[in-house]
C-alpha cells in the first residue's frame, strides 16, 4: 500500500500531523522507533508513581486562548483533564534567599512585579508592552482575525532577550526575575532571541496548566484518533534509510527489513538525525553544512523522586531556584547553579504529592565519555556519576523543600544520554536548535525542503514546547490543506 503521508516519529508533532491529515481524509502511517509512542510526551512509572518526560505544564489553555484553539484543531481539547496552576503564584522564582511569587494574568503579573519593584514601574510597563507587541507580530501566536500572512519573521527575531531585559532595567533582581523561567527555553545570555523569551513568557503569564493524564495521555488521544480515522501508528519501526529518485523520496526502509511507500514523507526528527538517512547528494552541501553547524540547546539532568504517602503536600506551582542572580545558562560557574523543582501531578495526586521532580541544565560533554553505551549498560562509573549529581541536586532542593530527603522512598535519574536514547533528541538536547538572535534565519527551518515530497515538522522548525510544536504542526499540515482553510478551521468560534 502507498500511503498519502508517512510520518517519521510519534512525538507530539508527528501525531498531531497524523491526526489532522487523517481527519481530512488522507491515508497516514506514523513510524516510531521505540516500543512506546509519544517521544518527549512519554510518561513512565517508577515504584507506582507516574512521571512525565517532557511535559510538566503548558500554557494558554483557557477557553479561547491560543493553545486551547490548537488543541481543538488537533482533537485534544475535551479529551484531557486540565488543572490550572495557582492564580496567585504559578511560578515562584528564588534568587538565593529572596523569593518572588508570580501570578497568572497579564494585569496580575504586572501588578505583582510593580509591588516587588516599585521604583521600576516604567521599565516593567515597557517590558510588558514589548511582550505584547512581539506576540502580536506572530499571527499564529496571537490569532488576530485580520491575518493574511503566516510568516515566522518578525522585527523581534533579531534582538537579544538578555540585552532587551537589561535595557529596560538595571535592577539585578528584576533582571533575574524576568529571566527566571528560562529553563523553559534554555535561555543563554547574548544568544537567545527576544522572540523566544517573549512568546514563551507571555503565553505562560496568560495562563498555565498541568494535565492529569500527562504526556502519554495526549499521545494516546492523538494516536487513537489517527486509528479511528483509518490511519496506522506502528511502534518498533525505526527508519534507517530513505531512497531518493529525481528529487522525490521513493521508499522508506525500516530496521526490521520492511519497506514502505508514501506519496509524501513528514520528518519530525532533528534534521541532523535525518540527513544520514538520505543519500549523500539529496541536499546541497551548503544546506548540510548549515544544519551541521547549527547549535543545539543544552540538555537536562532530571531526578525523579518517589515519596512516602501523605508526606509532602502537592504544590500547584513551579519553583525556579537560582543560587545567585546569574540566571542565564551560559553564566554558570558551579553546578548546579539552578534547578526547577516541582511536585508531580497525576491521577493519584490528592492534597499530597506522590512524586517530586528536580531538573537542572547539563551539557552533553559531561556524559559524552559514555556516548557509545546503551540504556542500562553504561557501567559503574556512569552510575556513580549520576548518583553524585543526583545527591547534589537533592541537597539543593532540600533547602527549598525542607523534609524532602526524609520523605523520599526512591529516586531515578536521566541525563542527556537518557533523553538521546529514549526520545531520539540530538545529543540529548532538550529543545533542539538554538534560536540565536544574531542569525535568526540560520536557525529557523521551513517545512518545505529541496526534496519535493519531504516535509519537516516538530520542535526544530520554529519553536519547541507544546505550543511551539503545535504551531509547527499547523505549518506542516497547511502545506497539504492550505493556510487559509486551516487558519479558518483553527480560529472558528
Ligand atoms: C526535560 C524536558 C522537559 C520539558 N518540559 C516541557 C514542559 O513542561 N512544557 C512544554 O510545553 N514543553 C516541555 N518540553 C519540550 C517538549 O516536550 C518538546 O518540545 C516536544 O515534546 C517535542 O516534540 P517533537 O514532536 O518535536 O519531538 P519528539 O517528541 O522528540 O519526537 C520525535 C520522535 O521521533 C522518534 N524517532 C527518532 N528517530 C526515529 C527514526 N529513525 N525512526 C522512527 N522514529 C524515530 C523518537 O523516538 C520520538 O518519538 C520539555 C522537554 C524536555 C527535554
Amino acid at each position: 500500500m502507498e500511503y498519502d503521508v508517512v510520518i517519521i516519529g510519534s512525538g507530539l508533532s508527528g501525531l498531531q500531523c497524523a491526526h489532522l491529515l487523517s481527519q481530512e481524509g488522507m491515508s497516514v502511517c506514523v513510524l516510531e522507533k521505540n516500543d512506546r509512542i509519544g517521544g518527549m510526551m512519554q510518561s513512565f512509572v517508577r515504584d507506582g508513581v507516574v512521571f512525565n518526560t517532557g511535559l510538566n505544564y503548558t500554557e494558554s489553555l483557557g477557553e479561547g486562548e491560543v493553545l486551547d484553539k490548537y488543541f481543538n484543531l488537533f482533537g485534544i481539547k475535551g479529551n484531557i483533564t486540565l488543572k490550572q496552576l495557582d492564580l496567585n503564584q504559578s511560578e515562584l522564582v528564588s534568587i538565593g534567599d529572596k523569593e518572588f511569587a508570580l501570578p497568572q494574568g497579564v494585569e496580575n503579573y504586572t501588578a505583582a512585579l510593580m509591588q516587588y519593584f516599585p521604583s521600576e514601574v516604567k521599565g516593567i510597563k515597557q517590558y510588558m508592552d514589548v511582550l505584547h507587541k512581539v506576540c502580536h507580530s506572530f499571527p499564529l501566536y496571537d490569532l488576530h482575525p485580520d491575518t493574511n500572512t503566516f510568516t515566522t519573521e518578525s522585527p523581534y527575531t533579531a534582538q537579544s532577550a538578555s540585552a532587551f531585559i537589561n535595557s529596560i532595567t538595571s535592577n539585578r533582581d528584576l533582571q533575574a526575575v524576568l529571566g527566571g523561567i528560562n529553563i523553559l527555553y534554555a535561555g543563554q545570555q547574548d544568544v537567545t532571541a527576544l522572540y523566544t523569551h517573549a512568546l514563551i513568557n507571555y503565553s505562560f503569564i496568560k495562563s498555565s496548566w498541568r494535565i492529569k493524564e500527562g504526556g502519554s495521555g495526549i499521545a494516546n488521544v492523538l494516536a487513537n484518533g489517527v486509528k479511528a480515522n483509518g490511519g496506522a501508528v506502528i511502534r518498533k519501526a525505526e527508519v534507517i534509510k530513505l531512497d531518493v529518485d529525481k528529487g522525490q523520496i521513493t521508499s522508506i526502509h525500516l530496521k526490521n527489513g520492511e519497506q514502505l511507500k508514501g506519496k509524501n514523507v513528514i520528518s519530525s526528527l532533528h534534521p541532523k538525525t535525518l540527513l544520514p538517512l538520505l543519500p549523500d547528494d539529496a541536499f546541497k552541501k551548503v544546506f548540510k553544512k548549515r544544519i551541521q553547524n547549527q547549535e543545539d540547546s543544552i540538555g537536562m539532568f532530571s531526578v525523579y523522586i518517589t515519596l512516602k504517602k501523605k508526606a509532602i503536600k502537592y504544590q500547584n506551582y513551579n519553583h525556579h531556584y537560582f543560587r545567585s542572580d546569574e540566571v542565564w545558562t551560559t553564566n554558570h560557574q558551579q553546578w548546579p547553579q539552578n534547578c526547577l523543582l516541582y511536585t508531580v501531578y497525576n491521577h493519584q495526586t490528592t492534597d499530597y504529592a506522590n512524586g517530586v521532580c528536580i531538573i537542572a541544565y547539563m551539557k552533553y560533554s559531561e556524559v559524552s565519555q559514555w556516548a557509545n553505551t546503551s540504556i542500562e549498560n553504561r557501567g559503574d562509573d556512569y552510575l556513580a556519576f549520576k548518583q553524585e549529581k543526583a545527591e547534589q541536586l537533592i541537597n539543593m532542593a532540600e533547602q527549598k523543600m525542607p523534609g524532602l530527603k526524609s520523605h523520599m522512598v526512591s529516586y531515578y535519574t536521566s541525563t542527556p544520554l537518557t533523553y538521546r536514547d529514549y526520545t531520539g533528541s540530538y545529543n540529548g538536547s532538550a529543545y533542539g536548535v538554538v534560536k540565536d538572535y544574531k542569525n535568526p534565519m540560520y536557525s529557523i527551518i521551513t517545512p518545505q525542503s529541496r526534496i519535493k515530497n519531504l516535509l519537516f515538522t516538530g520542535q526544530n522548525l520554529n519553536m519547541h514546547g507544546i505550543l511551539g510544536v503545535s504551531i509547527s504542526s499547523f505549518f506542516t499540515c497547511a502545506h497539504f490543506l492550505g493556510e487559509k482553510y486551516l487558519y479558518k478551521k483553527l480560529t472558528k468560534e
Side-chain angles (χ1 to χ4, degrees):
M1 165 175 183
E2 185 181 43
Y3 292 95
D4 289 331
V5 190
V6 173
I7 297 165
I8 311 174
S10 73
L12 181 65
S13 61
L15 290 173
Q16 282 180 330
C17 290
H19 190 279
L20 190 56
L21 295 177
S22 61
Q23 199 178 48
E24 293 288 329
M26 300 179 83
S27 63
V28 305
C29 173
V30 182
L31 301 172
E32 170 54 51
K33 76 176 172 72
N34 291 340
D35 60 1
R36 301 182 73 167
I37 58 162
M40 289 189 195
M41 288 288 98
Q42 287 171 76
S43 310
F44 55 91
V45 181
R46 292 288 178 272
D47 300 332
V49 180
V50 182
F51 294 97
N52 286 312
T53 301
L55 172 64
N56 161 25
Y57 68 130
T58 188
E59 71 263 57
S60 291
L61 272 173
E63 186 65 35
E65 289 184 334
V66 59
L67 188 56
D68 177 61
K69 292 203 167 166
Y70 281 100
F71 272 18
N72 190 38
L73 180 75
F74 293 114
I76 302 168
K77 182 175 175 170
N79 291 310
I80 49 169
T81 319
L82 300 175
K83 181 170 181 70
Q84 187 159 16
L85 295 189
D86 273 355
L87 288 172
N88 297 328
Q89 177 183 293
S90 51
E91 316 282 3
L92 181 62
V93 176
S94 291
I95 315 291
D97 291 336
K98 296 179 202 163
E99 294 194 343
F100 302 88
L102 302 175
Q104 289 169 67
V106 172
E107 275 178 26
N108 292 344
Y109 182 91
T110 313
L113 285 183
M114 288 178 178
Q115 218 166 356
Y116 283 122
F117 303 100
S119 59
E120 299 294 329
V121 166
K122 192 172 160 226
I124 292 167
K125 277 188 182 156
Q126 195 188 340
Y127 175 79
M128 296 306 294
D129 185 47
V130 169
L131 253 56
H132 175 75
K133 283 184 179 145
V134 175
C135 287
H136 195 71
S137 72
F138 286 88
L140 290 175
Y141 270 86
D142 208 43
L143 305 183
H144 29 275
D146 51 344
T147 295
N148 285 316
T149 68
F150 298 93
T151 174
T152 49
E153 288 176 46
S154 139
Y156 302 98
T157 47
Q159 286 188 44
S160 147
S162 58
F164 163 67
I165 290 173
N166 295 352
S167 76
I168 59 111
T169 177
S170 54
N171 183 306
R172 290 286 296 169
D173 282 343
L174 178 56
Q175 288 173 353
V177 169
L178 296 179
I181 64 164
N182 77 60
I183 201 158
L184 299 192
Y185 53 95
Q188 294 183 58
Q189 182 156 31
D190 208 28
V191 172
T192 299
L194 171 57
Y195 82 95
T196 305
H197 165 87
L199 293 176
I200 291 175
N201 254 24
Y202 206 56
S203 49
F204 275 98
I205 290 169
K206 281 186 175 163
S207 68
S208 51
W209 308 76
R210 292 201 165 115
I211 292 164
K212 196 184 216 171
E213 295 82 0
S216 285
I218 294 183
N220 289 336
V221 166
L222 289 167
N224 291 340
V226 173
K227 289 178 208 158
N229 295 336
V233 180
I234 309 179
R235 299 153 200 250
K236 294 191 199 166
E238 180 171 352
V239 176
I240 54 159
K241 190 159 104 75
L242 298 162
D243 291 337
V244 177
D245 186 34
K246 298 190 185 99
Q248 303 251 25
I249 293 181
T250 50
S251 200
I252 301 142
H253 297 257
L254 304 185
K255 197 175 180 181
N256 63 13
E258 284 176 31
Q259 271 189 53
L260 272 96
K261 292 206 180 292
K263 290 188 190 109
N264 299 281
V265 175
I266 295 177
S267 166
S268 68
L269 312 189
H270 192 301
K272 278 183 197 162
T273 313
L274 178 75
L275 283 181
L277 310 183
L278 288 157
D280 207 34
D281 58 357
F283 282 104
K284 287 187 176 157
K285 274 194 187 132
V286 59
F287 178 78
K288 291 201 283 189
K289 198 169 161 202
R290 181 186 136 200
I291 296 296
Q292 288 309 337
N293 288 342
Q294 277 174 339
E295 191 195 338
D296 289 294
S297 75
I298 194 166
M300 302 286 176
F301 181 80
S302 306
V303 184
Y304 308 97
I305 297 170
T306 68
L307 294 173
K308 288 177 188 162
K309 286 207 167 80
K310 295 196 173 177
I312 292 187
K313 287 250 168 137
Y314 167 70
Q315 299 177 344
N316 202 23
Y317 59 89
N318 298 295
H319 198 150
H320 306 261
Y321 175 27
F322 296 84
R323 286 190 198 278
S324 71
D325 59 13
E326 296 289 357
V327 295
W328 303 102
T329 57
T330 34
N331 290 355
H332 297 173
Q333 307 297 328
Q334 60 174 144
W335 193 94
Q337 158 66 3
N338 68 306
C339 67
L340 168 60
L341 172 66
Y342 62 91
T343 51
V344 300
Y345 179 67
N346 52 43
H347 64 278
Q348 293 165 328
T349 305
T350 57
D351 281 352
Y352 290 89
N354 57 1
V356 163
C357 273
I358 320 169
I359 304 183
Y361 293 124
M362 183 174 271
K363 290 182 183 154
Y364 186 67
S365 56
E366 290 264 358
V367 291
S368 56
Q369 61 179 296
W370 298 286
N372 297 323
T373 61
S374 58
I375 294 163
E376 304 288 340
N377 293 306
R378 305 201 203 275
D380 289 344
D381 49 353
Y382 178 73
L383 295 178
F385 167 84
K386 290 208 303 177
Q387 186 178 345
E388 187 195 324
K389 295 292 175 186
E391 281 169 12
Q392 277 176 272
L393 261 187
I394 292 167
N395 284 334
M396 183 176 178
E398 174 79 22
Q399 294 166 24
K400 291 292 171 186
M401 202 180 265
L404 173 64
K405 282 158 86 170
S406 61
H407 297 315
M408 197 162 80
V409 174
S410 58
Y411 74 79
Y412 299 84
T413 58
S414 60
T415 73
L417 284 180
T418 324
Y419 289 105
R420 181 197 70 174
D421 292 343
Y422 274 108
T423 70
S425 78
Y426 191 80
N427 282 355
S429 157
Y431 304 136
V433 176
V434 166
K435 307 292 184 262
D436 188 334
Y437 84 95
K438 294 186 273 313
N439 212 343
M441 295 332 284
Y442 199 79
S443 47
I444 290 174
I445 297 164
T446 57
Q448 286 90 351
S449 81
R450 185 173 184 250
I451 301 174
K452 286 185 215 93
N453 64 345
L454 172 66
L455 279 292
F456 295 115
T457 197
Q459 70 170 5
N460 297 289
L461 218 58
N462 301 299
M463 191 82 95
H464 64 278
I466 310 309
L467 177 56
V469 165
S470 300
I471 293 174
S472 294
S473 304
F474 174 97
F475 265 119
T476 308
C477 292
H479 171 83
F480 297 99
L481 305 173
E483 281 179 351
K484 290 267 157 65
Y485 167 76
L486 209 51
Y487 191 72
K488 231 175 168 178
K489 203 171 159 139
L490 172 70
T491 53
K492 79 168 191 306
E493 295 306 318

